[in-house]
Amino acid sequence: MLPDAAMTPTLSTAPPASAATPAAGRTWRLPVQGMSCASCVARVEKAALAVPGVQQAEVNLATETLHVQTPQGFDPATLKQAVERAGYSLATTSVQLAISEMTCASCVARVEKALLKVPGVLEATVNLATETATVTLAGERTDPAPLVAAVTRAGYGVAAPLAQGPQAQPWLGDGRRVLLAALLSAPLAVPMVGMLWGQHWMLPGWLQLLLATPVQFWLGARFYRAGYSAVRAGAGNMDLLVALGTSAAFGLSLYTLWADGNAHGLYFESSAVVITLVLLGKWLEARARRQTTAAIRALNALRPDTARVRNAQGDVEVPLAQVVVGDLVVVRAGERIAVDGVVTEGDSDVDESLVTGESLPVARGPGDAVTGGAVNGEGLLVVRTTAVGAESALARIVRLVESAQARKAPIQRLVDRVSAVFVPAVLGVALLTLLGWGLSGAGWSVAVINAVSVLVIACPCALGLATPAAIMAGTGVAAQRGILIKDAEALELAHAVGVVAWDKTGTLTLGRPQLVKAVPAEGERADLLQAAAALQASSTHPLARAVLQVVADEGLATPAASNVRAVAGRGVAGDVQGQALRLGSLRWMQESRVDLGPWQAEVKVWQDQGHTVSGLASLQGQPHLLGLLAFADTAKPNAAHAVRQLAALGVRSVLLTGDNAGSAAALAQAVGIDEVHAEVLPGDKARLVAELKAGLPARRQVAMVGDGINDAPALAAADVGIAMGSGTDVAMNAAGVTLMRGDPGLVADALDISRRTHAKIRQNLFWAFVFNAVGIPLAAAGMLSPVIAGAAMAMSSVTVVSNALLLRRWKGAAAR
């Protein structure tokens, strides 16, 4: 889906026409969103020009387009990041393609390179484990045809990644290919076993040729096709190594049979058995890889196909696609809830374990939110739909997990660079082996066989699978336990977290404060409550809800307010009954020159009790206090345990809150946190996070945990942002990790699964390199037969994927 030049702003990569422009340069035309004035133009241009390699940058505000001149080979992803850091965004579209016929890390590099050459492509990430390519293009319209064509030219197949319904399977699938190859190769391999006991069961040469030929050129045709595509594209891959190695053994045997006419000195069994073993390895690898995507399949399976909608005709069962927001959906006992919504009738216990990871059913009644995919207990519920389809919580969870599994961890990019030179290096070693043995007088037959061993033991596929297989398993099992990891980078960075900075309200506390005191400085208590309610009537802040609840319980009327505006980190201002009022923190009261002197002693008592105190002031004439409101919020039951869990992992906890010092200190003492920063404004939270990062040793990271709009800057500033799923969308968008329920204990779990996943990545890379570092020299030295070498290569990738699958046993940090 590339941008349509006639309809939308496009991205052009044509070289400049004039010789006066930079030689061999490229012109990028990028649609920018969020600009409103000339100052925006200047900011975007300044941000673009600051990117290394950008030679010229101009913004057209009328078309909302950024024109950039760069040299060839420039990475547009850095430009995209710079524009986003400046506070704007590029209009982009993400396309996912299912890529077939990839076999190793070299294939990954070739497909990415081919996609990045397509005009309009900003980023292209290929995942060998999921066999998918995620492509980010400039513009909001896309046409996948150029992408498909580029992949096809590179020698690979492209299929729709989300094909609906059962797919027709070829009769000769991978499993049957392995079985047939084994049946044809067995008569060639058995005589080799017999020779260990002095038995000579060697088949006639013509019969060996008859058995080996279909294995080599029919069942092994995939290696020739993929190898040819690699050569045509000027690259190499695992298939090329297998095709060259087995063809050399087959060709040597054919020449010997033609020259001597006997069954001695033939290596048909080597070529046939190697192909059989490689086919077996790829089949086992594919089976194992399917297990790494079990979490996604389990989440997708939670979507019911139909829903029971209540309308004028009664309760009617309709396809889920026909349900719209506002519909009343009836959920009977034991049924799976089909939509996100709010309960309007009925009471029941709901099992949300597969959605949020909550192990016990939770009570749900009128006014409570329920999530599609959860299982209703014994009661009947009527749910008013709030989200369906792609906007449902379950769909968003699936997208987040798929996105994390599709993207690469930073360490994988290093592996990709190694893989890019791996196949040429192996071909060089094989050539040296051939010449070394041949010229040393050992005989060219021996030289060919040793070179074949070098070619077939090399396993770039294990290198390519080491990281993505572990990430898929780790993100999948985390999602099943209520931890959503948005990208592989967050997963990798989280393993090195040394400090966790916690927000207070809604994160370590229940986030349901109660108004415990309302003391007027002048007038009546009811006047104080009504004015406070008027300013907060449309707010969803926990303190606002507490005030509005008391006003409702006491039957007080809420007057109208005008010019209401929220002031980040301070409170809310507006006009009520002709008065300009401010309601917020005591710090804001002092900044507004409101005299709090007469109330200092009483305020200190309240704060020492752990209460949050707000003031209501009038700005009419001399600013003066109208009254004080004190709120009490309690720590979550497992907050202290969560802090202890982090300490057991060697992670220090710090409290960052905009609340007053007394309230912050009381909570910190209750949950076991030693370092407290109170009365912190949103911008200062980000600064404090930066200071925490600066105070850590090299390679240690800072995580920030929050749930509100005010926490978004700090979440973005931290190495790893962790948002509570009970919080705002702004916080979740700024975070790399989202917790599906408001359980502080999930923070330790998130860090623990990151550590275990990172350990699996390192183990996998170690074994992948060991297979090659040990196997290739042994093969070159003539110490491994082609059959043993082929078996080792075939099992290397199976070992890597199987090791990653051990992550599925993870139960959480408490299970350490």
Side-chain angles (χ1 to χ4, degrees), residues 211-527:
L211 291 170
T213 298
V215 177
Q216 183 74 39
F217 299 108
W218 176 40
L219 300 173
R222 55 172 288 179
F223 302 114
Y224 287 98
R225 287 193 298 267
Y228 171 72
S229 297
V231 172
R232 190 177 61 182
N237 58 11
M238 183 207 77
D239 301 284
L240 179 62
L241 299 180
V242 173
L244 287 175
T246 57
S247 295
F250 187 91
L252 176 62
S253 302
L254 189 61
Y255 172 78
T256 303
L257 179 62
W258 174 76
D260 296 340
N262 59 54
H264 300 289
L266 302 182
Y267 300 97
F268 286 120
E269 80 287 342
S270 294
S271 66
V273 172
V274 165
I275 286 179
T276 300
L277 289 172
V278 175
L279 289 173
L280 174 63
K282 300 305 288 183
W283 179 65
L284 292 174
E285 173 195 320
R287 285 171 57 90
R289 283 205 314 235
R290 281 195 293 272
Q291 294 181 52
T292 64
T293 59
I296 288 288
R297 292 199 304 274
L299 288 170
N300 278 319
L302 298 181
R303 296 169 171 161
D305 295 324
T306 61
R308 192 174 293 103
V309 176
R310 176 166 293 178
N311 54 32
Q313 288 74 41
D315 296 347
V316 181
E317 189 164 315
V318 300
L320 186 58
Q322 296 181 13
V323 180
V324 298
V325 173
D327 280 352
L328 293 177
V329 174
V330 179
V331 187
R332 295 173 180 171
E335 291 184 340
R336 196 172 293 281
I337 299 172
V339 297
D340 292 0
V342 176
V343 177
T344 60
E345 297 178 31
D347 292 279
S348 185
D349 290 329
V350 175
D351 181 359
E352 299 178 344
S353 58
L354 288 177
V355 181
T356 66
E358 178 63 61
S359 57
L360 298 175
V362 291
R364 291 289 184 260
D368 291 332
V370 291
T371 304
V375 178
N376 185 23
E378 296 181 354
L380 183 142
L381 295 176
V382 179
V383 177
R384 184 173 299 279
T385 303
T386 58
V388 291
E391 297 306 313
S392 68
L394 184 59
R396 293 167 67 190
I397 291 171
V398 171
R399 284 200 301 272
L400 279 174
V401 178
E402 287 178 336
S403 174
Q405 294 184 345
R407 301 193 71 82
K408 291 184 179 179
I411 195 172
Q412 179 63 27
R413 304 193 184 279
L414 173 62
V415 174
D416 288 347
R417 289 197 291 271
V418 173
S419 301
V421 299
F422 182 84
V423 172
V426 170
L427 291 173
V429 173
L431 179 60
L432 291 174
T433 301
L434 175 68
L435 296 176
W437 283 97
L439 298 176
S440 68
W444 289 102
S445 294
V446 173
V448 169
I449 290 303
N450 289 340
V452 168
S453 296
V454 170
L455 291 172
V456 298
I457 199 172
C459 42
C461 45
L463 287 174
L465 287 168
T467 300
I471 287 174
M472 289 170 64
T475 54
V477 73
Q480 290 178 324
R481 285 160 180 77
I483 302 168
L484 299 185
I485 299 168
K486 283 173 59 176
D487 57 64
E489 184 174 3
L491 181 68
E492 185 173 336
L493 289 174
H495 88 277
V497 165
V499 173
V500 170
W502 296 87
D503 174 50
K504 174 178 172 284
T505 304
T507 304
L508 286 174
T509 67
L510 291 173
R512 295 192 295 270
Q514 295 180 331
L515 181 63
V516 293
K517 294 183 184 297
V519 180
E522 60 180 62
E524 300 296 326
R525 177 177 178 276
D527 297 332

